[in-house]
Amino acid sequence: MKTILLTVCLFLCYPLLSIAQSNQGSEKVSLSAEELEAFKTQAIKTVGDLGTYITVMVDKANPIERRNYNVRLAVELFANADSNIVEVSSLKDPSKKNYKSVRKYLIAVRDLPYQSVEIKWFGIYLSSDFVLGKDGKYYGVASICQIFEGKTKGTDGKLSVISKDTTCKSIQLIVEKLECMDGLKMNKCWILKLGDIKVDEQRTK
Amino acid sequence: MNNVLNKILFFSIYICCWKSTFSQQLSLGNGWLEQKFYFQVRQLSQFMERFNYQEKLMTPSGEIVSRWINLAGLINHEDSILTSNPNTKAFLKQCYRDSSTAKLNFNDSLWYASVKATFDYKGKPIEIEFLLMPEHYLNGGTSWSIVSVDSKILDIDTNRKASVFINPMGHEVGFLDMIKVINRNQLSSLYHSYYEYNKLSVLDYLIQRQELKFVQINSTEYTFNQIPGWQFTVKDFNRNSLNSGWLISKIIKKASK
């Protein structure tokens, strides 16, 4: 099991490592058009990975170790899960908003009271540009929507849907220059991380 | 009549536009939500791309629609005052006609964001409005920076009374006049005429003293001054409609010089 997880982890990290920069000495290094395009592809994959981890961590059919492991994997996708914020607004009361750190949000998601969940992701949209920030990192936004179905076991032992909602998330993307392994050497490379998240509940028709 | 024509024009976008040439991966199913998110302007960057005709809508037969229709889809159709206003049509016409120059640019200073947020002040909710603008740096980077702030709680009496001042020889007696003025709560009368009262500093002080605590951000809207002769505002309309997301909520024709 551990070998499989390690393989999955290495697989997820590979695209990040492969976008290593060669001119890391300069302060004014910027991303080329090709690199930006590569990061757009990577961003879509990373947001998809976050969805996969959430699906696994919520599902009570999975052992708690696996669910916790997926919380950790999800946390690793963020620049800083303790300072990155999730803002949740509800359609019932749009005037009220809740804020949580990403870590607390993921733990709350893990502890949702469902036996099993089904999450259908759709409509990923990524703005065309990553914009350079004053700190030298590049910032972009991905929007993604999900239909969430929470199921619990009834008295007859069958799973039935007790909760269904649709939410759209705007997820900040941060492309950051960090130390990374390039073969056997440490090198500087650009790595994509997730940042703050804004969640909007949507009406279903 | 004009109103009706406009409604037909705006409605036509839904009939003729079924898909758009998003360069990104966009999974499109058959459900209502998929359709909604297909048309919805989901990010301000997307609004700018559609406005600039970089992201183009297409007809069912795959033909790219005119910039006019692309632009018309960015208006809040559910505001009949806006859609029936002749200014709306004139604005769209100008953007359509001057297609090479009527573009929005993230990297200039001709647009700003207004953010309304609630704070708690001694147990009471207080709304504070922030005005932010993109600020550019030598490394080519950008950040959003607060330009100004406004709220009733930050208003103080800054009237300068002509009769209240420190006389020119006041320094010889150690500025004793100042004590009297401060005790009468008339300090603003002593401000130098160059000094401008700064609400942002007051806000910062109250936050640092923990007298003012952040509760939540209520709304964000953007005001653009990048189209010559016009100012328009863009807001997020989170609703169950194909015409939703970041849309133009207000168009103002600037007075000609």
Side-chain angles (χ1 to χ4, degrees):
Chain A
M1 184 64 183
K2 275 183 182 171
T3 314
I4 295 169
L5 291 172
L6 185 65
T7 311
V8 170
C9 199
L10 285 171
F11 174 74
L12 291 173
C13 292
Y14 174 73
L16 305 180
L17 300 176
S18 63
I19 313 175
Q21 284 277 329
S22 56
N23 49 349
Q24 70 275 15
S26 163
E27 278 301 307
K28 289 193 175 180
V29 169
S30 61
L31 290 168
S32 68
E34 292 77 25
E35 284 167 335
L36 279 172
E37 207 50 47
F39 274 113
K40 281 176 71 176
T41 309
Q42 178 59 27
I44 290 168
K45 187 185 172 305
T46 305
V47 171
D49 288 344
L50 176 65
T52 307
Y53 300 151
I54 287 176
T55 308
V56 176
M57 75 177 75
V58 178
D59 200 331
K60 298 287 189 294
N62 296 320
I64 186 69
E65 295 80 12
R66 188 170 173 219
R67 288 164 54 211
N68 284 338
Y69 181 72
N70 277 268
V71 171
R72 284 203 297 278
L73 287 177
V75 160
E76 287 299 312
L77 297 176
F78 288 84
N80 187 331
D82 294 308
S83 67
N84 292 138
I85 291 172
V86 182
E87 181 203 88
V88 183
S89 62
S90 156
L91 263 186
K92 279 181 192 163
D93 186 3
S95 64
K96 198 164 186 297
K97 292 178 181 165
N98 290 311
Y99 299 90
K100 274 194 174 93
S101 74
V102 163
R103 189 185 299 277
K104 283 184 179 166
Y105 174 77
L106 289 170
I107 289 167
V109 167
R110 180 201 62 187
D111 295 340
L112 285 170
Y114 306 116
Q115 206 68 38
S116 143
V117 296
E118 198 170 310
I119 301 176
K120 185 185 164 198
W121 297 88
F122 64 98
I124 287 184
Y125 174 81
L126 199 70
S127 55
S128 66
D129 293 321
F130 279 81
V131 180
L132 182 65
K134 69 189 262 194
D135 56 359
K137 298 173 191 172
Y138 283 81
Y139 293 84
V141 176
S143 298
I144 187 166
C145 302
Q146 68 171 47
I147 297 174
F148 178 96
E149 283 185 354
K151 298 172 186 175
T152 53
K153 271 184 188 167
T155 47
D156 56 356
K158 288 183 180 172
L159 284 172
S160 58
V161 177
I162 60 156
S163 171
K164 183 174 178 177
D165 67 41
T166 304
T167 54
C168 282
K169 298 175 169 65
S170 293
I171 306 175
Q172 198 172 55
L173 306 166
I174 305 164
V175 177
E176 194 175 351
K177 201 177 179 192
L178 294 172
E179 295 276 340
C180 62
M181 286 294 287
D182 185 7
L184 294 173
K185 289 186 295 183
M186 286 304 282
N187 206 346
K188 294 271 187 187
C189 58
W190 293 99
I191 289 179
L192 185 136
K193 292 278 185 182
L194 305 180
D196 296 337
I197 301 181
K198 186 173 182 292
V199 184
D200 288 317
E201 192 184 352
Q202 302 288 328
R203 279 194 193 93
T204 49
K205 203 173 187 180
Chain B
M1 183 60 184
N2 198 26
N3 188 11
V4 173
L5 282 173
N6 274 321
K7 280 187 174 169
I8 292 168
L9 164 74
F10 292 138
F11 187 69
S12 67
I13 189 171
Y14 297 135
I15 298 167
C16 68
C17 304
W18 291 97
K19 53 186 176 178
S20 65
T21 53
F22 295 164
S23 56
Q24 293 83 17
Q25 292 177 21
L26 184 69
S27 60
L28 180 61
N30 294 320
W32 157 251
L33 280 166
E34 282 86 346
Q35 273 187 50
K36 178 185 166 183
F37 298 126
Y38 189 66
F39 285 103
Q40 188 181 42
V41 189
R42 296 165 66 188
Q43 297 178 7
L44 191 77
S45 309
Q46 189 178 21
F47 174 90
M48 292 170 110
E49 285 176 16
R50 284 199 196 173
F51 190 97
N52 292 344
Y53 206 38
Q54 291 160 323
E55 182 181 296
K56 296 165 188 168
L57 296 163
M58 289 175 80
T59 64
S61 58
E63 287 167 35
I64 293 170
V65 300
S66 69
R67 189 178 184 205
W68 176 268
I69 293 177
N70 236 42
L71 287 167
L74 298 175
I75 302 285
N76 172 23
H77 296 192
E78 294 186 18
D79 181 349
S80 58
I81 296 169
L82 178 71
T83 55
S84 61
N85 190 333
N87 272 348
T88 304
K89 205 169 178 180
F91 169 75
L92 292 176
K93 250 185 176 175
Q94 181 177 323
C95 294
Y96 178 63
R97 195 186 56 222
D98 306 337
S99 57
S100 58
T101 53
K103 297 223 163 139
L104 304 180
N105 181 6
F106 184 91
N107 290 313
D108 70 23
S109 302
L110 294 172
W111 65 302
Y112 60 85
S114 307
V115 177
K116 286 182 180 164
T118 298
F119 283 73
D120 178 282
Y121 180 68
K122 295 180 178 173
K124 286 182 184 170
I126 300 288
E127 187 164 82
I128 294 177
E129 185 172 1
F130 293 82
L131 199 148
L132 297 101
M133 283 178 83
E135 186 175 0
H136 307 289
Y137 300 89
L138 288 175
N139 69 345
T142 306
S143 72
W144 281 99
S145 302
I146 299 170
V147 177
S148 67
V149 69
D150 199 15
S151 173
K152 279 180 188 170
I153 199 173
L154 305 173
D155 288 337
I156 58 169
D157 183 9
T158 56
N159 287 330
R160 293 170 165 96
K161 287 186 182 170
S163 59
V164 178
F165 61 96
I166 302 173
N167 74 67
M169 296 308 285
H171 62 287
E172 299 291 6
V173 289
F175 294 104
L176 290 173
D177 274 341
M178 239 168 74
I179 299 168
K180 288 174 258 172
V181 174
I182 290 168
N183 285 342
R184 289 204 299 264
N185 207 8
Q186 292 175 330
L187 188 66
S188 57
S189 298
L190 302 185
Y191 292 173
H192 194 286
S193 53
Y194 290 165
Y195 174 75
E196 278 186 39
Y197 161 63
N198 186 344
K199 292 182 183 183
L200 187 53
S201 299
V202 177
L203 174 72
D204 201 4
Y205 172 79
L206 290 172
I207 291 171
Q208 285 186 33
R209 295 269 300 179
Q210 296 193 325
E211 288 182 36
L212 210 51
K213 288 175 184 160
F214 172 79
V215 177
Q216 65 174 41
I217 290 171
N218 302 325
S219 66
T220 304
E221 61 178 45
Y222 300 90
T223 301
F224 291 87
N225 290 295
Q226 296 173 332
I227 308 302
W230 299 93
Q231 182 183 78
F232 66 95
T233 304
V234 175
K235 273 170 68 174
D236 185 18
F237 293 89
N238 179 16
R239 62 190 176 202
N240 200 24
S241 159
L242 296 180
N243 179 235
S244 58
W246 292 98
L247 300 169
I248 295 173
S249 61
K250 202 193 298 175
I251 298 173
I252 298 168
K253 188 170 175 58
K254 288 182 188 169
S256 50
K257 288 174 186 172

